[in-house]
Amino acid sequence: MAPWSGLWGGKAGGEAYRGTPVVVKMANPNWSISEISSPEDEEEDLLAAAGSRKGARTKNAKQIRWVLLLKAHRAAGCLATLASAAAALAAAARRRVTAGRTDAEAGVVAATGESPVVRSRFYAFIKAFLIVSVLLLAVELAAYFNGWNLAASALAIPVIGLESLYASWLRFRAIYVAPTLQFLTDACVVLFLIQSADRLIQCLGCFYIHLKRIKPKPKATALPDAEDPDAGFYPMVLVQIPMCNEKEVYQQSIAAVCNLDWPKSNFLVQVLDDSDDPLTQTLIREEVAKWQQQGARILYRHRVLRDGYKAGNLKSAMGCSYVKDYEFVAIFDADFQPNPDFLKRTVPHFKDNDELGLVQARWSFVNKDENLLTRLQNINLCFHFEVEQQVNGVFLNFFGFNGTAGVWRIKALEDSGGWMERTTVEDMDIAVRAHLNGWKFIFLNDVECQCELPESYEAYRKQQHRWHSGPMQLFRLCLPDIIKCKIAFWKKANLIFLFFLLRKLILPFYSFTLFCIILPMTMFVPEAELPEWVVCYIPALMSLLNILPSPKSFPFIIPYLLFENTMSVTKFNAMISGLFQLGSAYEWVVTKKSGRSSEGDLIALAPKELKHQKNVSAPNLDTVAKEPLPLKKDSKKKHNRIYKKELALSMLLLTAAARSLLSKQGIHFYFLLFQGLSFLLVGLDLIGEQIE
């Protein structure tokens, strides 16, 4: 690089600065310096060779000075970037507060599936807790600055005035409050350790599967040539695509299913449209007609009454007279796009395996890197499929059906009573009933089906509410059947204690109670102790285990830990609503899609031999990729909102963090501080999609 001739190289008018011109050569953009030289270097080298150490010291000083200057420049650039990000975050928060849109609005309450009464009671409880914590903080601050150090002698020494009231509070706290709080703390810690042990055992099981390279293998495989149904195992397959007002994604899903590499005469596609928007109905009907003209065997079905939501839609479709001609049914939600070889890699597992009722594939996500929210969801779901589903499939032959990207034996559905509309988790419902009837499941971790993640916190919150209220509804309904059924005792115990109680009830209960209620309370009641290893070390280890299936997400391990605790509020509220049938626990809300899937994403996930395949059962995806998406109708405008429960909890945790400073509890302070900031960001809706 040529010597600098600008500000440091000379003055205006040609007058040169005094000093030594220096040439800096950088090996790479990371500011690592390979050589620093100047015109005096040769002279200094000669002096150094003659025994003089002055030149060597001068050269080393120059090198160190320039290295430090360049490092300082890089640090300044990082600080400027952080300052810019902080300013943008503050501006977004200011806009959110100025707009004043909260989740208490009528439309939002109805859409989230929460009863306004239940919602207001839960918020009132949190708000009352916050008021009490602020008052206690004020009392502790007054005692601290007035020197009322009565912790050791409050029970024995009589005092007067305000100090007397403070002493009375200390006596009441030590005798009545602390023992009760310590009991609740110990109980939650025990539940926390049990759940952590369960997760550790699952991770060890996953490690064993990878170590032994255990993988479900079909007893028969479909032949590469699918044009001759008699040449291999090509049974009759019904493919269903249930959808409702999802015009952002219908084209890609229909195109992907019509391109499945399977004999045309041996599979039929049902597009099950529950849309109540006439424009969406027309668009989907026209798309189906277009593929029918291209030779695809595809039908359009629309229900006037949307009874039972998705379960009712599937139940209605299975009642068609022609279904009896089919042996298997594959189900894909509207935002799922299977690879062309999906049926070839799943259906052969049913060959010569009459006890097999379900083959489930894993999900992959086209928008996992869209924002921080999608990255954190990707961590959770990667662990769910890689560890939970795979371990349960290999060792138990049972897991919860994910509702999509799976192939069912129709006989298994019929033997289990078919689809039922009694809960909002119809997929888990049918899986549990099939398990009680003796059917086995297989999970294929190497077969992926592309889909989308919710990009906004509002959509994700609705989804999680349904996913955590439904299992509690199902548990109440299925418990008598589980007890009465004739399966092995250990299978009953697994269903009741592990599948439902530990993973669906205890997990959201202790997450919210321990980290959002008990931990702040122990700051105001120091007689009750919560060990540091419960606050920091065990949660960090569990987060590390969760993130192992997605190692590229390791930089997000701390945000993931904080966000999971933040989501415990929504999950706890949903669990209570489902368990006690409170409010609109049976309301179904369709998760909003963005339609980001594309032909390139589908081809990237397909095997190499299929990327260049041209003889498929329907036209390729070029026509879909080139077609513009239909213009969206001016419906309700989307807005970022303020979530009052999360904001109240953020104030509670930050108040507890301030109280912890008085007792010098280091780890507790940092955890409460960052957890409070996490609740604040989520409460201001700054974590997901930002709508300008």
Side-chain angles (χ1 to χ4, degrees):
M1 185 172 74
W4 188 284
S5 58
L7 180 61
W8 294 352
K11 292 184 177 179
E15 182 182 354
Y17 281 101
R18 293 182 180 181
T20 303
V22 178
V23 178
V24 181
K25 296 183 179 179
M26 291 179 290
N28 55 59
N30 291 324
W31 308 104
S32 60
I33 300 177
S34 61
E35 179 184 354
I36 301 180
S37 61
S38 69
E40 290 91 350
D41 285 347
E42 295 181 2
E43 179 181 353
E44 292 174 358
D45 291 340
L46 291 175
L47 292 174
S52 174
R53 298 182 180 178
K54 182 177 179 180
R57 285 198 300 268
T58 304
K59 181 176 179 179
N60 290 337
K62 290 177 182 177
Q63 290 177 343
I64 293 173
R65 182 172 69 250
W66 281 101
V67 168
L68 293 177
L69 284 173
L70 292 173
K71 291 291 185 181
H73 183 273
R74 185 184 184 187
C78 293
L79 290 176
T81 302
L82 291 175
S84 176
L89 196 64
R94 185 172 60 253
R95 288 196 302 269
R96 201 81 74 249
V97 173
T98 302
R101 298 185 182 92
T102 69
D103 57 340
E105 297 175 11
V108 180
V109 171
T112 54
E114 297 179 85
S115 168
V117 177
V118 176
R119 185 187 187 88
S120 61
R121 287 177 180 174
F122 191 49
Y123 175 63
F125 167 76
I126 296 174
K127 190 164 60 174
F129 199 166
L130 172 61
I131 294 172
V132 171
S133 66
V134 172
L135 292 176
L136 290 177
L137 177 61
V139 171
E140 295 294 336
L141 288 174
Y144 179 80
F145 288 111
N146 286 282
W148 299 343
N149 189 14
L150 303 176
S153 57
L155 301 177
I157 301 176
V159 289
I160 59 175
L162 294 176
E163 195 171 359
S164 173
L165 293 176
Y166 182 65
S168 300
W169 157 244
L170 290 182
R171 284 192 290 268
F172 178 81
R173 188 178 74 184
I175 297 174
Y176 299 104
V177 180
T180 304
L181 182 59
Q182 188 65 56
F183 173 78
L184 293 175
T185 301
D186 294 340
C188 286
V189 169
V190 170
L191 296 177
F192 176 47
L193 292 177
I194 293 174
Q195 196 275 332
S196 300
D198 173 63
R199 181 153 300 186
L200 179 60
I201 292 172
Q202 285 187 319
C203 291
L204 292 176
C206 183
F207 177 75
Y208 179 81
I209 291 172
H210 284 278
L211 183 65
K212 297 295 184 179
R213 298 182 179 179
I214 300 175
K215 178 182 175 182
K217 296 181 180 179
K219 298 180 180 179
T221 58
L223 298 180
D225 183 13
E227 295 303 321
D228 184 5
D230 299 327
F233 182 63
Y234 294 109
M236 300 292 287
V237 179
L238 181 67
V239 182
Q240 296 178 332
I241 314 177
M243 58 179 65
C244 179
N245 296 326
E246 294 173 288
K247 57 185 173 184
E248 295 86 1
V249 293
Y250 73 94
Q251 286 182 303
Q252 293 98 328
S253 59
I254 292 176
V257 168
C258 288
N259 274 280
L260 288 171
D261 188 15
W262 202 255
K264 291 182 180 180
S265 59
N266 284 29
F267 86 102
L268 172 69
V269 180
Q270 286 182 319
V271 178
L272 311 177
D273 181 25
D274 261 3
S275 303
D276 55 9
D277 176 22
L279 175 60
T280 304
Q281 295 176 23
T282 301
L283 293 173
I284 297 175
R285 188 181 290 108
E286 290 176 352
E287 185 71 13
V288 170
K290 183 186 71 175
W291 284 95
Q292 287 175 339
Q293 294 174 0
Q294 299 292 341
R297 297 185 68 231
I298 181 171
L299 299 175
Y300 174 85
R301 283 180 53 84
H302 176 71
R303 296 190 306 161
V304 178
L305 298 177
R306 193 188 165 202
D307 295 333
Y309 306 110
K310 182 181 177 180
N313 198 1
L314 294 172
K315 181 179 180 180
S316 174
M318 294 299 293
C320 297
S321 59
Y322 53 79
V323 173
K324 66 180 184 297
D325 299 328
Y326 294 84
E327 188 176 356
F328 305 101
V329 55
I331 302 172
F332 301 100
D333 282 351
D335 60 317
F336 279 72
Q337 294 88 37
N339 290 327
D341 66 341
F342 182 88
L343 294 180
K344 279 189 172 183
R345 300 180 68 184
T346 54
V347 175
H349 287 272
F350 291 97
K351 176 70 173 177
D352 300 328
N353 193 354
D354 295 336
E355 294 181 340
L356 183 61
L358 167 67
V359 175
Q360 172 73 60
R362 72 174 293 165
W363 302 354
S364 60
F365 310 105
V366 64
N367 61 337
K368 62 183 179 181
D369 297 323
E370 185 64 26
N371 54 45
L372 179 59
L373 178 61
T374 58
R375 288 186 173 96
L376 299 179
Q377 291 179 69
N378 179 61
I379 296 173
N380 250 345
L381 291 171
C382 282
F383 180 86
H384 169 69
F385 288 110
E386 185 78 23
V387 178
E388 295 176 341
Q389 297 291 76
Q390 185 172 211
V391 169
N392 290 329
V394 169
F395 294 106
L396 302 177
N397 294 122
F398 166 72
F399 47 82
F401 175 46
N402 292 118
T404 178
V407 182
W408 277 94
R409 190 188 297 271
I410 293 180
K411 187 175 186 299
L413 291 177
E414 295 172 347
D415 287 350
S416 305
W419 298 104
M420 292 186 179
E421 309 97 323
R422 56 182 182 172
T423 71
T424 58
V425 284
E426 74 296 324
D427 44 11
M428 186 182 294
D429 188 359
I430 189 65
V432 170
R433 287 186 280 115
H435 181 58
L436 296 180
N437 281 276
W439 291 98
K440 296 182 178 180
F441 303 164
I442 284 179
F443 177 75
L444 302 180
N445 193 51
D446 58 340
V447 180
E448 297 183 353
C449 191
Q450 179 177 268
C451 63
E452 287 186 19
L453 292 167
E455 296 182 7
S456 68
Y457 178 67
E458 182 181 357
Y460 180 63
R461 196 165 176 257
K462 296 174 186 177
Q463 182 195 70
Q464 292 301 303
H465 187 275
R466 176 166 57 87
W467 284 5
H468 286 81
S469 65
M472 290 298 96
Q473 304 167 18
L474 182 61
F475 179 62
R476 296 177 68 260
L477 296 171
C478 283
L479 184 59
D481 295 332
I482 296 174
I483 296 174
K484 295 176 183 177
C485 72
K486 298 180 180 180
I487 61 174
F489 175 78
W490 68 269
K491 292 185 177 180
K492 294 182 180 181
N494 172 69
L495 269 177
I496 295 175
F497 295 107
L498 293 182
F499 187 77
F500 279 114
L501 288 181
L502 183 60
R503 298 167 188 165
K504 303 297 188 297
L505 188 148
I506 291 178
L507 178 58
F509 171 79
Y510 87 75
S511 295
F512 173 74
T513 307
L514 186 61
F515 296 109
C516 300
I517 300 297
I518 291 180
L519 177 58
M521 287 184 67
T522 57
M523 298 299 101
F524 299 102
V525 187
E527 293 85 356
E529 296 182 356
L530 189 60
E532 292 183 351
W533 55 268
V534 175
V535 177
C536 180
Y537 304 129
I538 299 297
L541 176 60
M542 292 299 103
S543 297
L544 180 62
L545 293 178
N546 274 27
I547 217 165
L548 286 179
S550 53
K552 293 183 179 179
S553 302
F554 186 78
F556 302 97
I557 183 171
I558 294 178
Y560 171 74
L561 170 61
L562 299 174
F563 180 69
E564 280 302 290
N565 290 334
T566 304
M567 285 304 300
S568 66
V569 182
T570 297
K571 296 175 182 179
F572 176 82
N573 189 23
M575 181 267 293
I576 294 297
S577 298
L579 186 63
F580 297 103
Q581 294 182 315
L582 302 176
S584 303
Y586 292 91
E587 185 72 20
W588 179 285
V589 181
V590 178
T591 305
K592 186 67 177 176
K593 313 297 191 310
S594 61
R596 295 189 182 278
S597 303
S598 65
E599 178 195 7
D601 300 314
L602 297 174
I603 299 301
L605 289 174
K608 292 181 179 179
E609 62 269 15
L610 289 175
K611 290 182 180 180
H612 305 291
Q613 181 177 339
K614 295 184 179 179
N615 295 324
V616 291
S617 59
N620 58 36
L621 299 174
D622 291 337
T623 56
V624 177
K626 293 177 181 178
E627 288 184 5
L629 289 174
L631 293 176
K632 294 184 179 180
K633 189 174 61 174
D634 287 332
S635 56
K636 287 185 178 180
K637 288 186 177 181
K638 295 170 60 178
H639 301 285
N640 292 106
R641 302 183 185 278
I642 295 175
Y643 296 94
K644 297 167 66 176
K645 290 197 295 288
E646 285 79 356
L647 274 185
L649 278 168
S650 74
M651 297 298 105
L652 170 62
L653 292 168
L654 293 175
T655 302
R659 170 62 182 87
S660 70
L661 288 176
L662 301 180
S663 53
K664 299 181 180 179
Q665 301 189 36
I667 290 180
H668 294 74
F669 165 73
Y670 289 113
F671 182 87
L672 289 167
L673 174 63
F674 289 113
Q675 190 64 71
L677 293 176
S678 175
F679 269 103
L680 181 63
L681 293 176
V682 173
L684 293 175
D685 199 3
L686 297 173
I687 190 173
E689 180 185 17
Q690 299 301 301
I691 303 169
E692 297 296 336

